[in-house]
Coordinates of all heavy atoms in Angstrom, one line a residue:
M1 N 10.5 -34.2 -24.2 CA 10.6 -32.8 -24.2 C 10.8 -32.3 -22.8 O 10.1 -32.7 -21.8 CB 9.2 -32.2 -24.7 CG 9.1 -30.7 -24.4 SD 7.5 -30.0 -25.1 CE 6.3 -30.7 -23.9
L2 N 11.9 -31.5 -22.6 CA 12.2 -30.9 -21.3 C 11.3 -29.7 -21.1 O 11.3 -28.8 -22.0 CB 13.7 -30.6 -21.2 CG 14.1 -29.8 -19.9 CD1 13.9 -30.7 -18.7 CD2 15.5 -29.3 -20.0
V3 N 10.6 -29.6 -20.0 CA 9.9 -28.4 -19.6 C 10.7 -27.8 -18.4 O 10.7 -28.4 -17.4 CB 8.4 -28.7 -19.2 CG1 7.8 -27.4 -18.7 CG2 7.7 -29.3 -20.4
E4 N 11.3 -26.7 -18.7 CA 12.1 -26.0 -17.6 C 11.2 -25.3 -16.6 O 10.1 -24.8 -17.0 CB 13.1 -25.1 -18.2 CG 14.2 -25.8 -19.0 CD 15.3 -24.9 -19.4 OE1 15.5 -23.8 -18.8 OE2 16.0 -25.3 -20.4
L5 N 11.5 -25.4 -15.4 CA 10.7 -24.8 -14.3 C 11.6 -23.8 -13.5 O 12.8 -24.1 -13.4 CB 10.1 -25.9 -13.4 CG 9.1 -26.7 -14.2 CD1 8.9 -28.0 -13.4 CD2 7.8 -26.0 -14.4
P6 N 11.0 -22.8 -12.9 CA 11.8 -21.9 -12.0 C 12.5 -22.7 -10.9 O 11.9 -23.6 -10.3 CB 10.7 -21.0 -11.4 CG 9.5 -21.1 -12.3 CD 9.6 -22.5 -12.9
Q7 N 13.7 -22.3 -10.6 CA 14.5 -23.0 -9.6 C 14.4 -22.2 -8.3 O 14.3 -21.0 -8.3 CB 15.9 -23.2 -10.1 CG 16.0 -24.0 -11.3 CD 15.5 -25.4 -11.1 OE1 15.9 -26.1 -10.1 NE2 14.6 -25.9 -12.0
P8 N 14.5 -22.9 -7.1 CA 14.7 -24.3 -7.0 C 13.4 -25.0 -7.2 O 12.3 -24.6 -6.7 CB 15.1 -24.4 -5.6 CG 14.5 -23.3 -4.8 CD 14.4 -22.1 -5.9
F9 N 13.4 -26.1 -7.9 CA 12.2 -26.9 -8.2 C 12.5 -28.3 -7.7 O 13.6 -28.9 -8.0 CB 11.8 -27.0 -9.7 CG 10.7 -27.9 -10.0 CD1 9.4 -27.6 -9.6 CD2 11.0 -29.2 -10.5 CE1 8.4 -28.5 -9.9 CE2 9.9 -30.0 -10.8 CZ 8.6 -29.7 -10.5
D10 N 11.6 -28.9 -7.0 CA 11.8 -30.3 -6.5 C 10.6 -31.1 -6.9 O 9.5 -30.9 -6.4 CB 11.9 -30.3 -4.9 CG 12.3 -31.6 -4.4 OD1 11.7 -32.6 -4.8 OD2 13.2 -31.7 -3.5
F11 N 10.8 -32.0 -7.9 CA 9.7 -32.8 -8.4 C 9.0 -33.6 -7.3 O 7.8 -33.7 -7.2 CB 10.2 -33.7 -9.5 CG 9.2 -34.6 -10.2 CD1 8.3 -34.0 -11.0 CD2 9.1 -35.9 -9.9 CE1 7.3 -34.8 -11.7 CE2 8.1 -36.7 -10.5 CZ 7.2 -36.1 -11.4
A12 N 9.8 -34.3 -6.5 CA 9.3 -35.1 -5.4 C 8.4 -34.4 -4.5 O 7.3 -34.8 -4.1 CB 10.4 -35.8 -4.6
L13 N 8.8 -33.2 -4.0 CA 8.0 -32.4 -3.2 C 6.7 -31.9 -3.9 O 5.7 -31.8 -3.3 CB 8.8 -31.2 -2.6 CG 9.8 -31.5 -1.6 CD1 10.6 -30.3 -1.2 CD2 9.2 -32.2 -0.3
S14 N 6.9 -31.5 -5.1 CA 5.7 -31.0 -5.9 C 4.6 -32.0 -6.1 O 3.5 -31.6 -6.2 CB 6.2 -30.4 -7.2 OG 7.1 -29.4 -7.0
I15 N 5.0 -33.2 -6.2 CA 3.9 -34.2 -6.5 C 3.7 -35.1 -5.3 O 2.9 -36.1 -5.4 CB 4.3 -35.1 -7.7 CG1 5.7 -35.7 -7.6 CG2 4.3 -34.2 -9.0 CD1 5.6 -37.1 -7.1
E16 N 4.2 -34.8 -4.1 CA 4.0 -35.6 -2.9 C 2.5 -35.9 -2.6 O 2.2 -37.0 -2.2 CB 4.7 -35.0 -1.7 CG 4.5 -35.7 -0.4 CD 5.0 -37.1 -0.4 OE1 6.0 -37.4 -1.1 OE2 4.5 -38.0 0.3
R17 N 1.7 -35.0 -2.8 CA 0.2 -35.2 -2.5 C -0.3 -36.4 -3.3 O -1.2 -37.1 -2.9 CB -0.6 -33.9 -2.8 CG -0.7 -33.5 -4.2 CD -1.4 -32.2 -4.3 NE -1.6 -31.8 -5.7 CZ -0.9 -30.9 -6.3 NH1 0.1 -30.3 -5.7 NH2 -1.2 -30.7 -7.6
F18 N 0.2 -36.6 -4.5 CA -0.3 -37.7 -5.3 C 0.1 -39.1 -4.8 O -0.6 -40.1 -4.9 CB 0.1 -37.6 -6.8 CG -0.4 -36.2 -7.4 CD1 0.6 -35.3 -7.8 CD2 -1.7 -35.9 -7.5 CE1 0.1 -34.1 -8.3 CE2 -2.1 -34.7 -8.0 CZ -1.2 -33.8 -8.4
R19 N 1.3 -39.1 -4.2 CA 1.8 -40.3 -3.6 C 1.2 -40.5 -2.3 O 0.8 -41.6 -1.9 CB 3.3 -40.3 -3.5 CG 4.0 -40.3 -4.8 CD 5.5 -40.4 -4.7 NE 6.0 -39.2 -3.9 CZ 7.3 -39.0 -3.6 NH1 8.2 -39.8 -4.1 NH2 7.6 -37.9 -2.9
A20 N 1.0 -39.5 -1.5 CA 0.5 -39.6 -0.1 C -0.9 -40.0 0.0 O -1.3 -40.8 0.9 CB 0.7 -38.3 0.6
F21 N -1.7 -39.5 -1.0 CA -3.2 -39.8 -0.9 C -3.6 -40.9 -1.8 O -4.8 -41.3 -1.9 CB -4.0 -38.5 -1.2 CG -3.7 -37.5 -0.2 CD1 -3.1 -36.3 -0.5 CD2 -4.2 -37.6 1.1 CE1 -2.8 -35.3 0.5 CE2 -4.0 -36.7 2.1 CZ -3.3 -35.5 1.8
G22 N -2.7 -41.5 -2.5 CA -3.0 -42.7 -3.4 C -3.6 -42.3 -4.7 O -3.7 -41.1 -5.0
A23 N -4.0 -43.3 -5.4 CA -4.6 -43.2 -6.8 C -5.9 -42.4 -6.7 O -6.7 -42.5 -5.8 CB -4.8 -44.5 -7.4
D24 N -6.0 -41.5 -7.7 CA -7.3 -40.8 -7.9 C -7.6 -40.9 -9.4 O -6.8 -41.2 -10.2 CB -7.3 -39.4 -7.3 CG -6.4 -38.5 -8.0 OD1 -6.5 -38.3 -9.3 OD2 -5.6 -37.8 -7.4
P25 N -8.8 -40.5 -9.7 CA -9.2 -40.6 -11.2 C -8.5 -39.7 -12.1 O -8.5 -39.9 -13.3 CB -10.7 -40.3 -11.2 CG -11.2 -40.2 -9.8 CD -9.9 -40.2 -8.9
M26 N -7.9 -38.6 -11.6 CA -7.2 -37.6 -12.5 C -5.7 -37.8 -12.5 O -5.1 -37.3 -13.5 CB -7.6 -36.2 -12.0 CG -9.0 -35.9 -12.0 SD -9.7 -35.9 -13.7 CE -8.9 -34.5 -14.3
N27 N -5.1 -38.3 -11.5 CA -3.6 -38.3 -11.4 C -3.2 -39.7 -11.0 O -3.7 -40.2 -10.0 CB -3.2 -37.3 -10.4 CG -3.7 -35.9 -10.6 OD1 -3.3 -35.3 -11.6 ND2 -4.7 -35.5 -9.8
L28 N -2.2 -40.2 -11.7 CA -1.7 -41.5 -11.3 C -0.2 -41.4 -11.1 O 0.5 -41.0 -12.0 CB -2.0 -42.6 -12.4 CG -1.4 -43.9 -12.2 CD1 -2.0 -44.6 -11.0 CD2 -1.7 -44.8 -13.5
W29 N 0.3 -41.8 -10.0 CA 1.7 -41.9 -9.7 C 2.1 -43.3 -9.8 O 1.6 -44.2 -9.1 CB 1.9 -41.4 -8.2 CG 3.3 -41.6 -7.8 CD1 3.7 -42.6 -6.9 CD2 4.5 -41.0 -8.2 NE1 5.1 -42.5 -6.7 CE2 5.6 -41.5 -7.5 CE3 4.8 -39.9 -9.1 CZ2 6.9 -41.1 -7.7 CZ3 6.1 -39.5 -9.3 CH2 7.1 -40.1 -8.6
E30 N 3.1 -43.6 -10.7 CA 3.5 -45.0 -10.9 C 4.9 -45.0 -11.4 O 5.2 -44.3 -12.4 CB 2.5 -45.7 -11.9 CG 2.8 -47.1 -12.1 CD 1.7 -47.8 -12.9 OE1 0.7 -48.2 -12.4 OE2 1.9 -47.8 -14.2
E31 N 5.8 -45.8 -10.8 CA 7.1 -46.0 -11.2 C 7.9 -44.7 -11.5 O 8.6 -44.6 -12.5 CB 7.2 -47.0 -12.4 CG 6.6 -48.3 -12.1 CD 6.6 -49.3 -13.3 OE1 7.3 -48.9 -14.3 OE2 6.0 -50.3 -13.3
G32 N 7.8 -43.8 -10.5 CA 8.6 -42.6 -10.6 C 8.0 -41.5 -11.6 O 8.7 -40.6 -11.9
R33 N 6.9 -41.8 -12.2 CA 6.3 -40.8 -13.1 C 4.8 -40.5 -12.7 O 4.2 -41.3 -12.0 CB 6.2 -41.4 -14.5 CG 7.5 -41.7 -15.1 CD 7.4 -42.4 -16.5 NE 8.7 -42.6 -17.1 CZ 9.2 -41.8 -18.0 NH1 8.6 -40.7 -18.4 NH2 10.4 -42.1 -18.4
L34 N 4.4 -39.3 -13.1 CA 3.1 -38.9 -12.8 C 2.3 -38.9 -14.2 O 2.9 -38.4 -15.2 CB 3.0 -37.5 -12.2 CG 1.7 -36.9 -11.9 CD1 1.0 -37.8 -10.8 CD2 1.8 -35.5 -11.4
Y35 N 1.2 -39.5 -14.2 CA 0.4 -39.6 -15.4 C -0.9 -38.7 -15.3 O -1.5 -38.8 -14.2 CB 0.0 -41.0 -15.7 CG 1.1 -41.9 -16.0 CD1 1.9 -42.5 -15.0 CD2 1.5 -42.2 -17.3 CE1 2.9 -43.3 -15.3 CE2 2.6 -43.0 -17.6 CZ 3.3 -43.6 -16.6 OH 4.4 -44.4 -16.8
R36 N -1.2 -37.9 -16.3 CA -2.3 -37.0 -16.2 C -2.7 -36.7 -17.7 O -1.9 -36.8 -18.6 CB -1.9 -35.7 -15.6 CG -2.8 -34.6 -15.7 CD -3.4 -34.2 -14.4 NE -4.3 -33.1 -14.7 CZ -5.2 -32.7 -13.8 NH1 -5.3 -33.3 -12.6 NH2 -6.0 -31.7 -14.0
V37 N -4.0 -36.4 -17.9 CA -4.5 -36.0 -19.2 C -4.6 -34.5 -19.3 O -5.2 -33.9 -18.5 CB -5.9 -36.7 -19.5 CG1 -6.4 -36.3 -20.8 CG2 -5.7 -38.2 -19.5
F38 N -4.0 -34.0 -20.4 CA -4.2 -32.6 -20.7 C -4.6 -32.5 -22.2 O -4.0 -33.1 -23.0 CB -2.9 -31.8 -20.6 CG -2.3 -31.7 -19.2 CD1 -1.2 -32.5 -18.9 CD2 -2.9 -30.9 -18.3 CE1 -0.7 -32.4 -17.6 CE2 -2.3 -30.8 -17.0 CZ -1.2 -31.6 -16.6
D39 N -5.7 -31.8 -22.4 CA -6.2 -31.6 -23.8 C -6.4 -32.9 -24.5 O -6.0 -33.1 -25.7 CB -5.3 -30.7 -24.6 CG -5.5 -29.2 -24.3 OD1 -6.5 -28.9 -23.7 OD2 -4.6 -28.4 -24.6
G40 N -6.9 -33.9 -23.8 CA -7.2 -35.2 -24.4 C -5.9 -36.1 -24.7 O -6.0 -37.2 -25.2
A41 N -4.8 -35.7 -24.2 CA -3.5 -36.4 -24.4 C -3.1 -37.0 -23.0 O -3.0 -36.2 -22.1 CB -2.4 -35.6 -25.0
E42 N -2.8 -38.3 -23.0 CA -2.2 -38.8 -21.7 C -0.8 -38.4 -21.7 O 0.0 -38.6 -22.6 CB -2.3 -40.4 -21.7 CG -1.7 -40.9 -20.5 CD -1.7 -42.4 -20.4 OE1 -2.8 -43.0 -20.7 OE2 -0.6 -43.0 -20.1
V43 N -0.4 -37.7 -20.6 CA 0.9 -37.2 -20.5 C 1.7 -37.9 -19.3 O 1.1 -38.1 -18.3 CB 0.8 -35.6 -20.2 CG1 2.2 -35.0 -20.0 CG2 0.1 -35.0 -21.4
Q44 N 2.9 -38.2 -19.6 CA 3.8 -38.7 -18.6 C 4.8 -37.6 -18.1 O 5.4 -36.9 -19.0 CB 4.7 -39.8 -19.1 CG 3.9 -41.0 -19.6 CD 4.8 -42.1 -20.1 OE1 5.9 -42.3 -19.7 NE2 4.4 -42.7 -21.2
I45 N 4.9 -37.4 -16.8 CA 5.8 -36.3 -16.3 C 6.8 -37.0 -15.4 O 6.4 -37.7 -14.5 CB 4.9 -35.3 -15.5 CG1 3.8 -34.7 -16.4 CG2 5.8 -34.2 -15.0 CD1 2.8 -33.9 -15.6
A46 N 8.0 -36.8 -15.6 CA 9.1 -37.4 -14.9 C 10.2 -36.3 -14.5 O 10.3 -35.3 -15.2 CB 9.8 -38.5 -15.7
P47 N 10.9 -36.5 -13.4 CA 11.9 -35.5 -13.0 C 13.0 -35.4 -14.0 O 13.4 -36.4 -14.6 CB 12.4 -36.0 -11.6 CG 12.1 -37.5 -11.6 CD 10.8 -37.7 -12.5
A48 N 13.6 -34.2 -14.1 CA 14.8 -34.0 -14.9 C 15.5 -32.8 -14.4 O 14.9 -32.0 -13.7 CB 14.3 -33.7 -16.4
P49 N 16.8 -32.7 -14.6 CA 17.5 -31.5 -14.2 C 16.8 -30.2 -14.7 O 16.5 -30.1 -15.9 CB 18.9 -31.7 -14.8 CG 19.0 -33.1 -15.0 CD 17.7 -33.6 -15.4
N50 N 16.6 -29.3 -13.8 CA 16.0 -27.9 -14.1 C 14.6 -28.0 -14.6 O 14.0 -27.0 -15.1 CB 16.8 -27.2 -15.2 CG 18.2 -26.9 -14.8 OD1 18.4 -26.5 -13.6 ND2 19.2 -27.2 -15.6
G51 N 13.9 -29.1 -14.4 CA 12.5 -29.2 -14.7 C 12.0 -30.6 -14.8 O 12.3 -31.4 -13.9
V52 N 11.2 -30.9 -15.8 CA 10.6 -32.2 -15.9 C 10.6 -32.7 -17.4 O 10.6 -31.8 -18.3 CB 9.1 -32.3 -15.4 CG1 9.0 -32.1 -13.9 CG2 8.2 -31.3 -16.1
L53 N 10.6 -34.0 -17.6 CA 10.5 -34.5 -18.9 C 9.0 -34.8 -19.2 O 8.3 -35.4 -18.3 CB 11.3 -35.8 -19.1 CG 12.8 -35.6 -19.1 CD1 13.5 -37.0 -19.2 CD2 13.2 -34.8 -20.3
V54 N 8.5 -34.4 -20.3 CA 7.1 -34.6 -20.7 C 7.0 -35.4 -21.9 O 7.6 -35.1 -22.9 CB 6.4 -33.2 -20.8 CG1 5.0 -33.4 -21.3 CG2 6.5 -32.5 -19.5
E55 N 6.2 -36.5 -21.9 CA 5.9 -37.3 -23.1 C 4.4 -37.4 -23.2 O 3.8 -37.6 -22.2 CB 6.5 -38.7 -23.0 CG 8.0 -38.7 -23.0 CD 8.6 -38.3 -24.4 OE1 7.9 -38.5 -25.4 OE2 9.7 -37.7 -24.4
P56 N 3.8 -37.2 -24.3 CA 4.4 -37.0 -25.6 C 5.1 -35.6 -25.7 O 4.7 -34.7 -25.0 CB 3.3 -37.1 -26.6 CG 2.1 -36.8 -25.9 CD 2.3 -37.1 -24.4
S57 N 6.0 -35.4 -26.6 CA 6.7 -34.2 -26.8 C 5.9 -33.3 -27.7 O 6.1 -33.2 -28.9 CB 8.1 -34.5 -27.4 OG 8.8 -33.3 -27.5
R58 N 5.0 -32.5 -27.1 CA 4.2 -31.5 -27.8 C 4.4 -30.2 -27.1 O 3.9 -30.0 -26.0 CB 2.8 -31.9 -27.9 CG 2.5 -33.0 -28.8 CD 1.0 -33.1 -29.1 NE 0.5 -34.3 -28.6 CZ -0.8 -34.5 -28.3 NH1 -1.7 -33.6 -28.5 NH2 -1.2 -35.6 -27.8
P59 N 4.9 -29.2 -27.8 CA 5.1 -27.9 -27.1 C 3.9 -27.3 -26.5 O 3.9 -26.6 -25.5 CB 5.6 -27.0 -28.3 CG 6.3 -27.9 -29.2 CD 5.5 -29.2 -29.1
A60 N 2.7 -27.6 -27.1 CA 1.5 -27.0 -26.5 C 1.2 -27.6 -25.1 O 0.4 -26.9 -24.4 CB 0.3 -27.4 -27.4
L61 N 1.8 -28.7 -24.7 CA 1.5 -29.3 -23.4 C 2.3 -28.6 -22.3 O 2.0 -28.7 -21.1 CB 1.8 -30.8 -23.4 CG 0.9 -31.6 -24.3 CD1 1.4 -33.0 -24.4 CD2 -0.5 -31.6 -23.8
A62 N 3.4 -27.9 -22.7 CA 4.3 -27.3 -21.7 C 3.6 -26.3 -20.8 O 3.8 -26.3 -19.6 CB 5.5 -26.6 -22.4
A63 N 2.7 -25.5 -21.3 CA 2.0 -24.5 -20.5 C 1.1 -25.2 -19.5 O 1.0 -24.8 -18.3 CB 1.2 -23.6 -21.4
H64 N 0.4 -26.3 -19.9 CA -0.4 -27.0 -19.0 C 0.4 -27.6 -17.8 O 0.0 -27.6 -16.7 CB -1.1 -28.2 -19.7 CG -2.1 -27.7 -20.7 ND1 -3.3 -27.1 -20.4 CD2 -2.1 -27.8 -22.1 CE1 -4.0 -26.8 -21.5 NE2 -3.3 -27.2 -22.5
V65 N 1.6 -28.2 -18.2 CA 2.4 -28.8 -17.2 C 3.0 -27.8 -16.2 O 3.0 -28.0 -15.0 CB 3.5 -29.7 -17.9 CG1 4.6 -30.1 -16.8 CG2 3.0 -30.8 -18.6
R66 N 3.4 -26.7 -16.7 CA 3.9 -25.6 -15.9 C 2.9 -25.2 -14.9 O 3.1 -25.0 -13.7 CB 4.4 -24.4 -16.7 CG 5.8 -24.6 -17.3 CD 6.3 -23.3 -17.9 NE 7.5 -23.6 -18.7 CZ 7.5 -23.8 -20.0 NH1 6.4 -23.6 -20.7 NH2 8.6 -24.0 -20.7
R67 N 1.7 -24.9 -15.4 CA 0.6 -24.5 -14.5 C 0.2 -25.6 -13.5 O 0.1 -25.3 -12.3 CB -0.7 -24.2 -15.3 CG -1.8 -23.5 -14.5 CD -3.0 -23.1 -15.4 NE -2.7 -22.6 -16.7 CZ -2.9 -23.3 -17.9 NH1 -3.5 -24.5 -17.8 NH2 -2.6 -22.8 -19.0
F68 N 0.2 -26.8 -13.9 CA -0.2 -27.9 -13.0 C 0.8 -28.1 -11.9 O 0.5 -28.4 -10.8 CB -0.2 -29.2 -13.9 CG -0.5 -30.5 -13.1 CD1 -1.7 -30.7 -12.5 CD2 0.5 -31.4 -12.9 CE1 -2.0 -31.8 -11.8 CE2 0.3 -32.6 -12.2 CZ -1.0 -32.8 -11.7
L69 N 2.1 -27.8 -12.2 CA 3.2 -28.0 -11.2 C 3.4 -26.7 -10.4 O 4.3 -26.6 -9.6 CB 4.5 -28.5 -11.8 CG 4.4 -29.9 -12.4 CD1 5.6 -30.2 -13.1 CD2 4.1 -30.9 -11.3
G70 N 2.6 -25.7 -10.6 CA 2.7 -24.5 -9.8 C 3.8 -23.5 -10.2 O 4.2 -22.7 -9.4
A71 N 4.3 -23.6 -11.5 CA 5.4 -22.7 -11.9 C 5.0 -21.2 -11.9 O 5.9 -20.4 -11.8 CB 5.9 -23.1 -13.3
S72 N 3.7 -20.9 -11.8 CA 3.3 -19.5 -11.9 C 3.4 -18.8 -10.5 O 3.3 -17.6 -10.4 CB 1.9 -19.4 -12.4 OG 1.0 -20.1 -11.6
F73 N 3.6 -19.6 -9.4 CA 3.7 -19.1 -8.1 C 5.0 -18.4 -7.9 O 6.0 -18.9 -8.2 CB 3.4 -20.2 -7.0 CG 2.0 -20.7 -7.1 CD1 1.8 -22.0 -7.5 CD2 1.0 -20.0 -6.6 CE1 0.6 -22.5 -7.5 CE2 -0.3 -20.5 -6.7 CZ -0.5 -21.8 -7.1
D74 N 5.0 -17.3 -7.2 CA 6.2 -16.5 -6.8 C 6.8 -17.2 -5.6 O 6.2 -17.1 -4.5 CB 5.8 -15.1 -6.6 CG 7.1 -14.2 -6.4 OD1 7.9 -14.6 -5.6 OD2 7.1 -13.1 -6.9
L75 N 8.0 -17.8 -5.8 CA 8.6 -18.5 -4.7 C 9.1 -17.6 -3.6 O 9.0 -17.9 -2.4 CB 9.7 -19.4 -5.1 CG 9.3 -20.6 -6.1 CD1 10.5 -21.3 -6.5 CD2 8.3 -21.5 -5.4
D76 N 9.5 -16.4 -3.9 CA 10.0 -15.5 -2.9 C 8.9 -15.0 -2.0 O 9.0 -15.0 -0.8 CB 10.7 -14.3 -3.5 CG 12.0 -14.7 -4.2 OD1 12.7 -15.6 -3.7 OD2 12.4 -14.0 -5.2
D77 N 7.7 -14.7 -2.6 CA 6.6 -14.3 -1.8 C 6.1 -15.4 -1.0 O 5.7 -15.2 0.2 CB 5.4 -13.8 -2.8 CG 5.7 -12.5 -3.3 OD1 6.6 -11.7 -2.9 OD2 4.9 -12.1 -4.3
F78 N 6.1 -16.7 -1.5 CA 5.6 -17.8 -0.7 C 6.6 -18.0 0.5 O 6.1 -18.3 1.6 CB 5.6 -19.1 -1.6 CG 5.2 -20.3 -0.8 CD1 3.9 -20.5 -0.5 CD2 6.2 -21.2 -0.4 CE1 3.5 -21.6 0.3 CE2 5.8 -22.3 0.3 CZ 4.5 -22.5 0.7
A79 N 7.9 -17.9 0.2 CA 8.8 -18.1 1.3 C 8.6 -17.1 2.4 O 8.7 -17.4 3.6 CB 10.3 -18.1 0.8
G80 N 8.4 -15.8 2.0 CA 8.1 -14.8 3.0 C 6.8 -15.0 3.8 O 6.8 -14.8 5.0
F81 N 5.8 -15.6 3.1 CA 4.6 -15.9 3.8 C 4.8 -17.1 4.8 O 4.3 -17.1 5.9 CB 3.5 -16.3 2.8 CG 2.3 -16.9 3.3 CD1 1.3 -16.1 4.0 CD2 2.1 -18.2 3.3 CE1 0.2 -16.6 4.5 CE2 0.9 -18.8 3.8 CZ 0.0 -18.0 4.4
A82 N 5.5 -18.1 4.3 CA 5.7 -19.3 5.1 C 6.5 -19.0 6.3 O 6.4 -19.6 7.3 CB 6.3 -20.4 4.2

């Protein structure tokens, strides 16, 4: 299932903290995918054009993934702040 995210979106930059700080009990970065549990389901998140691919393909997981990857943040306000 493709979860579209506001552009510009960069998967590698968004998940860099998981690679930089190594494995933790909640998030696992492995072979180009991020693994995390949402609502009792192990979810795989991988980069895709205009967003990310999410498996398993359950529409209810899309909101969790968007929130987790920061889609609710206003990029223009952030850029102005930075």
Side-chain angles (χ1 to χ4, degrees):
M1 164 179 72
L2 175 66
V3 175
E4 292 188 21
L5 295 164
Q7 297 301 309
F9 175 75
D10 187 315
F11 183 75
L13 288 175
S14 295
I15 54 92
E16 177 59 30
R17 66 182 186 262
F18 303 115
R19 293 185 303 183
F21 297 111
D24 69 51
M26 297 296 292
N27 307 289
L28 175 63
W29 170 255
E30 187 173 272
E31 298 180 11
R33 294 177 180 263
L34 183 65
Y35 296 84
R36 167 116 181 164
V37 173
F38 296 108
D39 284 342
E42 181 182 311
V43 176
Q44 298 177 36
I45 305 170
N50 299 317
V52 292
L53 289 177
V54 176
E55 291 294 331
S57 183
R58 285 198 247 159
L61 294 172
H64 293 292
V65 171
R66 282 190 189 99
R67 188 176 326 109
F68 178 71
L69 293 174
S72 61
F73 294 109
D74 184 314
L75 296 179
D76 292 331
D77 285 348
F78 178 76
F81 169 78

